[in-house]
Amino acid sequence: MITMALRLTGQRCLVIGGGAVAERRIGLFLKEGAKVTVVSPEVTANIAEWAAKDQLVWQKAAYDESVDLAADFVLLATSDSELNAMCAKKARALGALVNRADDRSDCDFTFPATVTVGDLEFAIFTGRVSPRLSRLIKKDLANRYGAVAEMLPALREMRKTVRELLTTPAEREEFWQKHLGQKELIKIIEGDWKCVEDILSDEINRIRFKS
């Protein structure tokens, strides 16, 4: 598998099952604007609330042959492995990408552990070797990169200025490679963004005065 980000707005997502695992994954799809249908006789309180607010469609019934598995994404989160396997096979035949909560080896896509720090978002894969390790890494990233997240708005404005002053991608790449490297990243992580900001501002002003 490869790691990528997908735009899910308007994508059809069918979920078979309505428990806690389904809820977590449905929440991710709803956040990205997917059109979600849930098939399950019972669902969690949150899923029921989303249905009541018309944020998703809830078919209050167990899966049977009448359920249309034609979708962009199919999430299988029942406790019946045979049913999950059968639905996975049928859904793929209809062109869907499948995720099985009970069998990672039978998934076309998976859900990594994630941590969001400001505008930064990290995805963590440990191959399910250690959920504990994933939690520790999430905590470490959240603590370590807070200072980086805080400086992103200022860096975004600097990037706009550099794009205006340096007309070619090669020139801009050379500028950032020279003035924003590993040494500067360490300073930012350690809370010394002001030092890096001053250096970048001086270099930007130098380019401006040459123009």
Side-chain angles (χ1 to χ4, degrees):
M1 289 189 178
I2 61 173
T3 304
M4 64 176 66
L6 298 175
R7 191 177 301 279
L8 299 178
T9 304
Q11 296 291 297
R12 298 165 301 159
C13 176
L14 176 66
V15 183
I16 311 298
V21 173
E23 177 189 311
R24 289 196 299 272
R25 296 177 179 182
I26 289 168
L28 296 173
F29 275 80
L30 290 178
K31 182 180 178 182
E32 295 301 320
K35 296 179 179 178
V36 178
T37 298
V38 179
V39 178
S40 181
E42 297 181 353
V43 296
T44 66
N46 279 334
I47 295 175
E49 183 177 354
W50 290 330
K53 293 180 178 178
D54 293 325
Q55 293 176 273
L56 57 77
V57 175
W58 175 20
Q59 296 181 10
K60 195 174 182 179
Y63 172 83
D64 62 29
E65 294 295 325
S66 68
V67 175
D68 184 7
L69 290 170
D72 298 302
F73 299 90
V74 173
L75 307 180
L76 302 170
T78 78
S79 58
D80 186 336
S81 293
E82 290 186 5
L83 174 62
N84 291 342
M86 179 191 69
C87 288
K89 184 176 180 179
K90 288 186 175 181
R92 288 194 181 99
L94 294 170
L97 294 175
V98 174
N99 174 272
R100 283 181 59 181
D102 64 321
D103 187 353
R104 189 175 185 276
S105 66
D106 192 24
C107 291
D108 301 313
F109 64 98
T110 59
F111 295 88
T114 61
V115 57
T116 301
V117 187
D119 288 337
L120 296 174
E121 186 166 352
F122 300 93
I124 305 161
F125 293 89
T126 60
R128 290 193 174 183
V129 171
S130 175
R132 171 62 178 167
L133 180 60
S134 291
R135 288 191 291 271
L136 290 171
I137 293 173
K138 286 177 64 174
K139 184 175 181 181
D140 179 70
L141 288 171
N143 292 334
R144 185 184 300 271
Y145 285 92
V148 177
E150 290 177 3
M151 51 70 67
L152 285 180
L155 184 62
R156 185 179 294 114
E157 292 304 313
M158 286 185 168
R159 184 168 180 267
K160 290 179 182 177
T161 302
V162 170
R163 285 181 64 87
E164 293 170 359
L165 294 172
L166 300 178
T167 58
T168 69
E171 288 177 312
R172 295 193 292 269
E173 177 65 19
E174 181 181 0
F175 174 88
W176 290 114
Q177 284 192 2
K178 184 176 181 180
H179 302 297
L180 187 62
Q182 188 66 32
K183 179 178 66 175
E184 287 73 28
L185 175 60
I186 292 173
K187 286 184 178 180
I188 295 168
I189 291 173
E190 292 176 347
D192 197 8
W193 158 243
K194 186 63 171 61
C195 175
V196 177
E197 183 180 29
D198 288 345
I199 293 171
L200 289 172
S201 295
D202 288 345
E203 294 300 329
I204 289 172
N205 286 332
R206 186 173 289 112
I207 296 170
R208 183 181 285 115
F209 293 144
K210 285 181 180 181
S211 302

